[in-house]
Amino acid sequence: MLSFSFSSSYFTNTKIQNKMANVNKKNKYILITNGDSYIGRNMAIHIADELAKHEGQMKKSHWRVRLLCENKHKLEYLEKRGIDVKQVDYESPHMLREQMQDHIKTMIFNPFAKNDGRMVVCAKNLIDAAVHEKVKRVIMLSSLGCDYMSENDTESPMRQFKQAEDYFRNCFQYGYWLIFRIPLMQQFMYFWRNMIESKNKLGMPLPKDCTLMTVNVRDVLECISVACLSKKSSVWSAYSNQEDDTSSSDDLFELPNPAKSRGKLADAPRASGMKKMFMLKSMQPMSLKMIAESLMHALQEEGSNLKIDTMVMKDDELRSYLKFVSEDSVGGHSDSPLSEADVSKSKSHHEDHPAWNPVPKWDLMPFQVELMLDHFKMARFSDMPILLEDDIRDILGREPIELREFFMMNRRQFRPTAKKQ
């Protein structure tokens, strides 16, 4: 009887393991790296929501999002959305290759790191693992302005992005790849909320004759989602003459055609057919005075007459202020991303998705702070060219969200006397 009992248990477990193995074989994954970062976790949420929203339209089943991170515990809330969260050590090539051995259809290579100094090493490990496991399509997120940072400034996050870019393009030169460069996120303006509310001041290391480029996270998420979920998107036009892995049947589902939804923008120039690098940015660079005036104008819509003075800060002063914000729950910041219950309480569909609010103790790690300072350095760099491309419009068929629109949509979040209802 013991022998029979053991055999029955053995065969039952074997059947379960085989069934799970078959399910894993059917699954196809969109792999996102560095899920601990602001853009990483929000990209996972956005693409998972897109898959769920279009589930009935999907041409193929068993698609999932796999998110790599260094601390799985703090991202448990993402697993409730069906996201496959995997904790890895980016210094371990074997562990990274193991997570790419399943059917990875597209990898979103997001090198944003928690700490400075090891970004390039970890980025190379991810790229090598993807090459080893023959991941066919890779989309890289990088930093706008990284090619203008001095080669001697090896500790600069932007310089590290450029090194990662160069290695990425060299390793995937015969594959399918795209690079999306992004400037400072508009949602990071929330980090200045405490300064605005407590001192009626807006301080940045931005002299009066310099302007800052920004982008809204919604524009970034939607552009990358289009590239990730539709191989017929114009962003892949550089590979339109290549037969391998470019058929329309490879799309997960039909996405809107920007050319049809463009309306008055129908005659706007489209992206070059050989383009593989895209600049995701708003079209209006803003001076410090313009930023403050845009915020005050938005607050006037809420009946506030708040006068915001501007002050030009030094890099070290902003670094100290951001360190203070990261260490204390100040200015109405949350200690963690909002739950589904919090999301359902969103007061207006005009406001940002609550999940887009940055979490200071998560999103103001040393690397991110230094990267923000690099964006201000680029704003002060006189040789930085004016970028006329409107890649967001070409991809999405609508104008990018400007910083003044961000303030107007989210003006309640900046009101010193606003009562949260």
Side-chain angles (χ1 to χ4, degrees):
M1 291 297 294
L2 286 175
S3 176
F4 176 79
S5 176
F6 170 80
S7 299
S8 298
S9 175
Y10 171 79
F11 286 118
T12 299
N13 290 335
T14 301
K15 287 176 67 177
I16 293 174
Q17 290 172 0
N18 289 339
K19 185 176 181 180
M20 292 177 64
N22 289 333
V23 169
N24 287 334
K25 286 181 180 179
K26 291 181 180 179
N27 282 333
K28 296 178 177 64
Y29 293 93
I30 296 167
L31 180 72
I32 303 173
T33 70
N34 290 82
D36 309 82
S37 68
Y38 173 79
I39 191 66
R41 66 176 184 270
N42 278 295
M43 179 57 63
I45 292 172
H46 183 78
I47 293 182
D49 286 351
E50 284 294 302
L51 293 177
K53 184 168 61 176
H54 294 87
E55 187 173 6
Q57 306 173 32
M58 290 174 62
K59 298 178 179 180
K60 299 178 182 179
S61 58
H62 305 293
W63 282 90
R64 293 191 68 191
V65 173
R66 173 170 290 175
L67 185 66
L68 304 187
C69 68
E70 293 182 275
N71 186 346
K72 183 176 179 178
H73 176 70
K74 71 177 186 179
L75 298 179
E76 287 179 348
Y77 72 102
L78 295 180
E79 293 183 299
K80 297 177 182 179
R81 292 175 172 265
I83 297 171
D84 185 29
V85 181
K86 299 290 186 181
Q87 183 168 312
V88 298
D89 177 0
Y90 291 108
E91 306 258 359
S92 170
H94 172 75
M95 186 177 291
L96 297 176
R97 290 197 300 268
E98 187 176 43
Q99 297 305 327
M100 299 181 192
Q101 288 172 357
D102 295 317
H103 192 163
I104 306 299
K105 202 62 181 175
T106 301
M107 181 173 91
I108 300 175
F109 172 45
N110 163 40
F112 284 81
K114 289 196 305 181
N115 298 301
D116 50 357
R118 300 296 293 170
M119 190 273 254
V120 176
V121 172
C122 296
K124 288 182 176 180
N125 286 343
L126 278 164
I127 294 168
D128 290 342
V131 171
H132 185 274
E133 297 302 327
K134 298 180 173 56
V135 177
K136 287 189 175 182
R137 290 181 184 267
V138 185
I139 300 169
M140 179 180 180
L141 299 184
S142 188
S143 180
L144 189 64
C146 65
D147 44 352
Y148 294 96
M149 188 60 67
S150 170
E151 294 184 4
N152 298 324
D153 195 356
T154 56
E155 297 301 315
S156 158
M158 276 198 185
R159 183 59 196 163
Q160 293 179 53
F161 269 106
K162 185 61 171 64
Q163 290 178 277
E165 267 192 22
D166 292 342
Y167 191 77
F168 171 80
R169 286 196 280 188
N170 181 64
C171 291
F172 284 101
Q173 59 182 311
Y174 301 113
Y176 297 85
W177 61 269
L178 300 172
I179 295 176
F180 290 90
R181 287 180 175 174
I182 59 177
L184 186 72
M185 288 285 181
Q186 293 172 5
Q187 280 68 19
F188 286 180
M189 290 295 157
Y190 287 129
F191 295 141
W192 275 265
R193 188 160 48 187
N194 179 261
M195 184 187 298
I196 294 166
E197 295 181 357
S198 63
K199 298 182 178 180
N200 292 359
K201 291 183 180 293
L202 180 65
M204 296 178 178
L206 195 64
K208 65 178 181 179
D209 57 340
C210 298
T211 56
L212 181 69
M213 194 79 71
T214 64
V215 69
N216 194 283
V217 70
R218 175 188 168 189
D219 290 338
V220 176
L221 298 180
E222 290 187 4
C223 284
I224 297 175
S225 179
V226 166
C228 185
L229 302 180
S230 177
K231 306 306 182 292
K232 290 189 295 183
S233 167
S234 62
V235 297
W236 294 105
S237 59
Y239 304 98
S240 59
N241 294 326
Q242 299 184 30
E243 296 180 359
D244 181 37
D245 198 38
T246 57
S247 66
S248 60
S249 62
D250 206 30
D251 285 1
L252 273 67
F253 44 80
E254 293 289 343
L255 289 172
N257 184 349
K260 294 181 180 179
S261 60
R262 197 172 292 235
K264 294 182 180 179
L265 304 178
D267 297 326
R270 300 300 303 276
S272 167
M274 293 305 293
K275 192 166 187 174
K276 299 179 182 179
M277 182 180 294
F278 299 85
M279 312 299 177
L280 304 184
K281 59 180 179 57
S282 61
M283 291 304 293
Q284 178 63 65
M286 304 278 277
S287 67
L288 180 56
K289 181 180 178 181
M290 292 168 66
I291 295 172
E293 289 178 346
S294 295
L295 178 54
M296 286 190 289
H297 177 69
L299 292 175
Q300 286 174 3
E301 292 294 314
E302 287 292 310
S304 172
N305 294 317
L306 179 67
K307 176 71 166 65
I308 301 175
D309 296 320
T310 60
M311 59 180 180
V312 179
M313 303 176 73
K314 296 179 180 179
D315 285 354
D316 283 342
E317 291 174 329
L318 181 57
R319 185 182 288 111
S320 297
Y321 169 74
L322 294 175
K323 186 174 186 293
F324 163 70
V325 174
S326 70
E327 292 176 347
D328 295 272
S329 298
V330 295
H333 291 291
S334 172
D335 287 333
S336 61
L338 299 182
S339 66
E340 288 297 313
D342 294 318
V343 170
S344 66
K345 295 178 182 177
S346 181
K347 293 181 281 297
S348 168
H349 68 279
H350 296 295
E351 293 183 1
D352 275 353
H353 190 296
W356 296 347
N357 291 349
V359 180
K361 71 176 183 179
W362 288 18
D363 301 321
L364 285 176
M365 293 294 180
F367 183 87
Q368 182 60 59
V369 170
E370 295 305 315
L371 180 59
M372 291 172 68
L373 291 171
D374 274 358
H375 284 304
F376 286 107
K377 289 178 185 177
M378 287 297 101
R380 302 191 300 266
F381 183 50
S382 60
D383 293 336
M384 183 75 174
I386 298 175
L387 302 174
L388 300 177
E389 300 99 330
D390 194 350
D391 288 338
I392 291 174
R393 183 187 63 176
D394 290 336
I395 296 171
L396 301 179
R398 62 166 176 79
E399 294 291 357
I401 300 169
E402 300 294 340
L403 184 58
R404 62 179 179 274
E405 297 176 72
F406 164 77
F407 284 138
M408 188 62 72
M409 290 186 293
N410 299 284
R411 56 188 180 271
R412 289 180 59 87
Q413 302 300 320
F414 290 92
R415 280 188 66 191
T417 57
K419 294 180 180 180
K420 310 301 179 185
Q421 297 177 352

